[in-house]
Amino acid sequence: MGLPEERGRNSSGSGGREEAGAGGRTRSWSPPPEVSRSAHVPSLQRYRELHRRSVEEPREFWGEIAKEFYWKIPCSGPFLQYNFDVTKGKIFIEWMKGATTNICYNVLDRNVHEKKLGDKVAFYWEGNEPGETTQITYRELLVQVCQFSNVLRKQGIQKGDRVAIYMPMILELVVAMLACARLGALHSIVFAGFSAESLSERILDSNCSLLITTDAFYRGEKLVNLKELADESLEKCREKGFPVRCCIVVKHLGRAELGTGDSPSQSPPVKRPCPDVQDKLKKKFKCIQPQISWNQGVDLWWHELMQEAGDEFEPEWCDAEDPLFILYTSGSTGKPKGVVHTIGGYMLYVATTFKYVFDFHAEDVFWCTADIGWITGHSYVTYGPLANGATSVLFEGIPTYPDVSRLWSIVDKYKVTKFYTAPTAIRLLMKFGDEPVIKHSRASLQVLGTVGEPINPEAWLWYHRVVGARRCPIVDTFWQTETGGHMLTPLPGATPLKPGSASFPFFGVAPAILNESGEELEGEAEGYLVFKQPWPGIMRTVYGNHTRFETTYFKKFPGYYVTGDGCRRDQDGYYWITGRIDDMLNVSGHLLSTAEVESALVEHEAVAEAAVVGHPHPVKGECLYCFVTLCDGHSFSPTLTEELKKQIREKIGPIATPDYIQNAPGLPKTRSGKIMRRVLRKIAQNDHDMGDTSTVADPSVISHLFSHRCLTIQ
């Protein structure tokens, strides 16, 4: 797959200068050494020319790229039709409508049969424990996907059905999502760190008829009994009149009981540590395998179903605009939004962004540390790499277990060339100094990437200097669940680098910065980040609620897709994301709705009212600072604080656990009763520069909250 008019080029370039500080306003740093640029990456000047063409002639540009994929029926009608203006009618986006394809066929069958990559490793799987490993080739993956497609079909799953997946980072997760894609069903993957209530909410919203989960898994030293959470979730669904008819369970922690003689096409045996290591683990964790409850008539074992399944399955040929998956992201109303991505455009976009942003080559070993439960895992663990025939690392564990050098030992073990992680992980590992990193070679690394939130310049420079040994360009990528793939990013070796900047728009992306009145700002400017026209990977709707889709993303500024993020463009045309404008928080790179957390708090009998704001955190980037007003007869105490934290963990998940909860007998409100979160953010950060507070109904509330604020760390 090559860019139009760009196949076969070869040139070299410099990594450019580094400037630290928000918006690139502060001092300059020495430029990194020259970085080679491959045939995949155009020069900066050529890139600008191609980008202009991709925006002005999207049909021709993406039409050329579409020829690199298999279409059962090619596009014969309009290549692109859309409306971004709510004042002119319904919002819609259609790329290649009428063309038929199957994304699973494109990422597996073609790689095995046409590109002869059957024996190439698709994934190296690295378990939570060092020594727990396996791998799977493209041919083995295709066989397993066909088998599980037959399993799903036997369970009554058909094109258009929704299937919920609640699993840790194991190979069966990839198999399950690709099997859904093969038969035209929509997968709805729920992060295994979410609570039972979060899972049931998503199952109910999308009417999933089947759930796929796992017995249990370890995350570091913590045992997560996922089946127990799944059972609790399905019980909640039954209570609300929606019984899920089938739950397929992977025996993951109990995999050793299956024996090592199983065919890889049924369930890849994990290479376990030697017996003495297993004994140590049993003592450390008390028990390797928790007790698993079983619901007769609902629960089915994955390995038993696979043993009976055939290993061939004709793919379901789907329209390019048929939905591929639903992925829930937090909404400002508190109710998560089911973001819907469709097959054709999403396939084009993730394949293209993966290839050029990471400068992919056939010999690369790619590692994206994101969980598949998030959009990053969908796009850059599964679909993007597989569409390019890449070899990837799939990691079940965490960066600090069993020690803080785990990531770098894995990089050396698999000779990882392209590494993609979150600023949260980088800041976490920075705390332990350089030694855990530099004791490993890391000589294989060529490109580093960041995702999930803006990276602060200090973390960027440490990542470049220590992890990349000053020789690896860093691609700091801005995008969203809704965009499907990278929107603003450097290209390695082509774009001069500014630490903390998302740099320039990717092909087909037309950004603009608007002021509050909706006027486009030229040159150096700061305001709302919007996009003026569709790119292939854009979401098409909110599942079951198209009105919400239009209201959330298109109503504020008709004619534009509104990201909800603030942005600054500097004098060189670089884009700097300044954070969420709406009531959303970015905790460890994951969006959380303040309304959702507030709703969980007020469900406690002691809480009358709650308000949640963000607070800077040295590792997470942002954490939750909660203000709670208690009902009469209740008193604030450490016990209540723990109860509230527990309630949020159960309602939403551990990732939403607040760092700070402050007793607030009153909240700053306008005379109309609206809570002034701007003021609360100032209080949380102990910033007495309040600005205009003339609209506060009771100014004494502010003084009281300042004098009783939590002791925080920056």
Side-chain angles (χ1 to χ4, degrees):
M1 182 177 65
L3 291 175
E5 301 180 12
E6 197 61 23
R7 299 185 184 95
R9 292 189 75 257
N10 198 355
S11 55
S12 62
S14 169
R17 68 181 181 278
E18 303 173 22
E19 297 178 6
R25 293 187 176 107
T26 58
R27 64 191 183 278
S28 296
W29 297 77
S30 300
E34 187 167 288
V35 180
S36 294
R37 187 173 64 250
S38 76
H40 294 166
V41 180
S43 67
L44 185 56
Q45 180 180 355
R46 180 61 180 146
Y47 168 75
R48 289 183 185 276
E49 294 172 2
L50 284 166
H51 178 265
R52 179 189 55 77
R53 182 189 165 198
S54 71
V55 170
E56 294 177 357
E57 303 172 358
R59 297 160 180 80
E60 292 75 11
F61 184 89
W62 292 105
E64 282 292 309
I65 292 175
K67 293 176 183 176
E68 303 292 331
F69 297 89
Y70 177 77
W71 305 92
K72 185 77 170 178
I73 299 175
C75 181
S76 57
F79 195 82
L80 168 62
Q81 296 187 99
Y82 73 97
N83 173 42
F84 264 20
D85 191 338
V86 290
T87 67
K88 295 180 179 179
K90 180 180 178 180
I91 299 295
F92 73 96
I93 306 103
E94 295 174 346
W95 286 88
M96 300 168 290
K97 187 173 178 62
T100 61
T101 189
N102 184 284
I103 194 169
C104 179
Y105 182 87
N106 275 283
V107 305
L108 289 184
D109 300 65
R110 292 184 71 225
N111 281 326
V112 172
H113 301 305
E114 294 180 29
K115 300 180 183 178
K116 309 302 180 185
L117 299 178
D119 295 329
K120 184 176 183 178
V121 173
F123 290 101
Y124 292 111
W125 180 78
E126 178 79 11
N128 183 64
E129 293 293 329
E132 290 193 340
T133 63
T134 192
Q135 64 185 50
I136 190 167
T137 65
Y138 273 88
R139 181 176 291 105
E140 290 169 336
L141 184 57
L142 174 59
V143 169
Q144 283 198 46
V145 168
C146 286
Q147 287 181 316
F148 197 63
S149 298
N150 280 308
V151 167
L152 291 176
R153 178 61 54 82
K154 191 172 182 179
Q155 296 304 317
I157 299 300
Q158 299 178 351
K159 179 181 178 182
D161 288 346
R162 280 77 59 206
V163 174
I165 302 176
Y166 188 51
M167 301 170 78
M169 289 285 281
I170 57 177
L171 290 172
E172 287 87 350
L173 171 52
V174 176
V175 171
M177 64 194 298
L178 290 177
C180 289
R182 193 169 189 85
L183 53 79
L186 288 69
H187 56 73
S188 175
I189 300 177
V190 179
F191 173 53
F194 277 157
S195 66
E197 182 149 330
S198 292
L199 173 61
S200 65
E201 184 177 38
R202 287 154 173 77
I203 290 174
L204 290 168
D205 185 75
S206 54
N207 294 316
C208 293
S209 53
L210 185 146
L211 173 65
I212 307 167
T213 191
T214 307
D215 52 0
F217 68 101
Y218 277 101
R219 185 167 178 79
E221 296 191 359
K222 180 184 178 183
L223 174 65
V224 181
N225 191 329
L226 207 60
K227 178 61 165 57
E228 186 178 274
L229 293 170
D231 288 346
E232 183 183 339
S233 177
L234 294 184
E235 178 59 32
K236 291 178 184 292
C237 291
R238 280 190 289 272
E239 290 172 358
K240 294 182 179 180
F242 187 79
V244 176
R245 65 173 183 261
C246 177
C247 178
I248 298 176
V249 186
V250 174
K251 184 173 278 193
H252 176 48
L253 282 194
R255 199 183 297 268
E257 302 169 12
L258 302 178
T260 57
D262 293 318
S263 165
S265 65
Q266 295 169 356
S267 185
V270 171
K271 298 175 184 175
R272 298 280 177 180
C274 56
D276 61 325
V277 176
Q278 282 283 32
D279 291 340
K280 290 178 184 176
L281 289 176
K282 288 179 181 179
K283 291 177 183 177
K284 183 176 185 179
F285 295 132
K286 301 295 188 289
C287 68
I288 279 289
Q289 173 67 3
Q291 190 65 37
I292 300 299
S293 59
W294 201 253
N295 301 310
Q296 206 65 37
V298 175
D299 294 341
L300 298 167
W301 282 118
W302 172 291
H303 61 277
E304 292 179 354
L305 296 172
M306 291 287 273
Q307 287 171 356
E308 302 169 0
D311 58 8
E312 292 185 0
F313 190 95
E314 178 69 13
E316 184 77 31
W317 301 107
C318 304
D319 191 278
E321 280 300 321
D322 281 344
L324 173 62
F325 64 83
I326 304 167
L327 183 58
Y328 285 85
T329 187
S330 292
S332 57
T333 64
K335 179 179 171 58
K337 304 185 294 286
V339 170
V340 176
H341 282 288
T342 52
I343 296 166
Y346 177 81
M347 177 175 70
L348 289 189
Y349 202 67
V350 296
T352 308
T353 49
F354 174 81
K355 180 168 185 177
Y356 293 103
V357 173
F358 298 111
D359 187 22
F360 170 70
H361 290 266
E363 65 274 13
D364 279 334
V365 175
F366 179 75
W367 183 15
C368 170
T369 67
D371 194 286
I372 292 177
W374 308 107
I375 187 63
T376 305
H378 281 57
S379 297
Y380 300 114
V381 174
T382 303
Y383 289 112
L386 291 177
N388 284 274
T391 295
S392 295
V393 175
L394 191 69
F395 179 45
E396 182 188 28
I398 59 176
T400 55
Y401 180 81
D403 58 60
V404 297
S405 65
R406 181 72 187 279
L407 297 186
W408 322 121
S409 67
I410 294 173
V411 166
D412 282 357
K413 179 177 181 179
Y414 297 108
K415 300 294 186 289
V416 172
T417 56
K418 311 294 168 65
F419 180 73
Y420 194 35
T421 195
T424 298
I426 298 166
R427 288 192 294 266
L428 171 66
L429 297 175
M430 277 177 66
K431 295 196 309 180
F432 301 100
D434 300 356
E435 195 277 333
V437 182
I438 62 177
K439 75 177 185 180
H440 294 280
S441 166
R442 311 170 331 282
S444 59
L445 289 174
Q446 298 171 9
V447 175
L448 303 175
T450 64
V451 60
E453 59 186 307
I455 184 170
N456 54 306
E458 294 76 16
W460 191 102
L461 291 165
W462 184 85
Y463 194 32
H464 178 260
R465 176 180 60 84
V466 179
V467 177
R470 300 184 186 273
R471 57 182 173 75
C472 299
I474 296 175
V475 288
D476 175 8
T477 61
F478 166 81
W479 57 298
Q480 302 173 312
T481 302
E482 294 89 340
T483 72
H486 304 140
M487 299 296 284
L488 304 173
T489 176
L491 290 187
T495 311
L497 304 175
K498 291 189 181 185
S501 167
S503 297
F504 301 125
F506 191 72
F507 298 117
V509 175
I513 295 179
L514 306 184
N515 62 18
E516 188 67 46
S517 301
E519 299 166 329
E520 286 194 29
L521 304 176
E522 300 298 328
E524 190 172 356
E526 186 166 356
Y528 292 86
L529 176 64
V530 299
F531 297 110
K532 297 192 281 187
Q533 65 188 52
W535 55 99
I538 185 175
M539 69 181 289
R540 301 305 198 259
T541 190
V542 169
Y543 186 81
N545 195 341
H546 195 73
T547 299
R548 189 180 184 190
F549 172 62
E550 295 180 330
T551 301
T552 303
Y553 303 103
F554 297 94
K555 187 175 181 180
K556 185 175 181 64
F557 298 119
Y560 300 92
Y561 167 88
V562 181
T563 65
D565 282 295
C567 183
R568 177 179 179 272
R569 185 174 52 228
D570 69 17
Q571 67 276 15
D572 298 321
Y574 285 62
Y575 289 85
W576 303 76
I577 305 302
T578 57
R580 299 295 297 178
I581 291 175
D582 53 19
D583 292 328
M584 303 291 291
L585 303 177
N586 194 324
V587 179
S588 297
H590 305 307
L591 284 183
L592 294 173
S593 161
T594 56
E596 189 175 13
V597 180
E598 289 164 1
S599 176
L601 285 167
V602 298
E603 286 188 30
H604 193 284
E605 62 179 4
V607 179
E609 191 171 30
V612 178
V613 297
H615 185 277
H617 190 280
V619 174
K620 301 176 187 177
E622 193 172 25
C623 66
L624 277 66
Y625 192 114
C626 306
F627 296 85
V628 294
T629 301
L630 303 184
C631 300
D632 290 343
H634 292 271
S635 59
F636 194 78
S637 66
T639 300
L640 176 60
T641 298
E642 287 307 309
E643 288 179 6
L644 293 175
K645 289 183 178 181
K646 180 182 178 185
Q647 180 145 314
I648 290 172
R649 283 194 293 267
E650 291 176 350
K651 293 286 182 182
I652 304 173
I655 198 167
T657 305
D659 281 54
Y660 308 106
I661 300 180
Q662 178 179 344
N663 183 24
L667 293 170
K669 297 180 181 179
T670 64
R671 289 170 180 80
S672 63
K674 182 179 180 181
I675 295 173
M676 300 182 70
R677 285 180 174 78
R678 173 183 64 83
V679 173
L680 291 177
R681 280 191 285 269
K682 293 283 189 178
I683 295 168
Q685 297 179 36
N686 202 23
D687 181 356
H688 289 264
D689 184 11
M690 302 295 295
D692 181 15
T693 57
S694 60
T695 57
V696 179
D698 182 3
S700 67
V701 169
I702 297 175
S703 301
H704 183 277
L705 292 177
F706 263 118
S707 62
H708 292 83
R709 63 181 297 279
C710 300
L711 182 63
T712 60
I713 57 172
Q714 293 283 0

